[in-house]
Amino acid sequence: MVEEPEGLGAFAALLQVHAAVVRKLEERLEAHRLVPIGQYDVLLELNAAPGRRLRMQQLSDRVVLSRSRVSRVVDEMERAGLVRREPDPDDRRAAFAVITEDGRAALRKAAPVYLQGIEQEFLSHLTSAERRSLERALRKVLDAQRGQVGADAP
C-alpha cells in the first residue's frame, strides 16, 4: 500500500474550499441577477490587462475555466456585448478578447457582491496573519508552476 505524502490533506482542503466558496459566490451573483462567475472571471482579467485585451491563449492561461470552456464563455459574452474579438494583426490564427464598455459596466455592478462574498465566505474565517501566510504559500506554488525564478525561495 502506498503511503500518502505529508500535506496531502492541505491539497484536499484547498480543492474543497475552492469548490465550496466558488459555489457560494455563484449563488450570490445569481441571486442578484449579475453575470455568472465564469464571465466575471473573464471580465476581471480583461479589465486588468494592458489595453483591456488579451489573446485568447493568454486569457485561457489566466482564468479558472478550462481552455475549451473559455472559448464558449467568450462566445456567449460576445453575443451579450460584454466583449468583442479582434484579429491579431501579427498572427492571423490568433485573436484578442477585448472588454467592452458594457462589459466594464457589468464588472463594476457585480464587483461589490463578489467582493462581499469573498469577505464573508472566505476571508472572515482567517486572521490577518493566516491570510498573509496562505497567500505566500499559494503564490510559491503558483510561481513554481509558472516557472518563475525564485519560486522555491523560502
Side-chain angles (χ1 to χ4, degrees):
M1 186 164 143
V2 177
E3 187 176 324
E4 288 186 359
E6 179 184 347
L8 191 61
F11 183 70
L14 172 68
L15 295 178
Q16 292 166 348
V17 166
H18 176 267
V21 171
V22 167
R23 188 169 35 255
K24 292 287 189 175
L25 294 174
E26 286 173 340
E27 290 169 2
R28 284 171 179 268
L29 290 169
E30 186 178 314
H32 287 85
R33 299 190 191 291
L34 298 167
V35 293
I37 197 162
Q39 291 186 11
Y40 184 88
D41 190 19
V42 169
L43 292 173
L44 192 62
E45 291 299 335
L46 291 175
N47 196 59
R52 294 195 172 96
R53 68 186 200 157
L54 289 169
R55 280 183 166 189
M56 289 298 293
Q57 179 64 45
Q58 292 171 309
L59 183 59
S60 292
D61 290 342
R62 293 184 185 194
V63 297
V64 182
L65 304 167
S66 69
R67 290 186 191 279
S68 61
R69 181 109 171 88
V70 169
S71 184
R72 287 193 301 266
V73 168
V74 169
D75 287 344
E76 293 168 11
M77 295 174 75
E78 190 173 23
R79 285 191 295 274
L82 302 175
V83 300
R84 69 177 181 276
R85 291 183 201 242
E86 293 179 353
D88 183 344
D90 299 327
D91 182 354
R92 289 182 172 193
R93 298 166 299 175
F96 288 98
V98 183
I99 191 170
T100 64
E101 283 306 314
D102 286 349
R104 294 189 73 213
L107 180 63
R108 283 191 300 273
K109 188 175 178 183
V113 172
Y114 181 78
L115 294 172
Q116 181 183 44
I118 291 172
E119 174 62 39
Q120 291 177 346
E121 304 297 339
F122 182 73
L123 297 174
S124 68
H125 302 288
L126 303 169
T127 67
S128 182
E130 289 169 332
R131 292 174 187 185
R132 287 190 306 272
S133 178
L134 182 59
E135 182 176 356
R136 273 193 311 274
L138 293 175
R139 287 209 182 274
K140 187 175 180 180
V141 174
L142 186 58
D143 288 348
Q145 293 302 312
R146 292 179 174 165
Q148 294 183 1
V149 177
D152 55 348

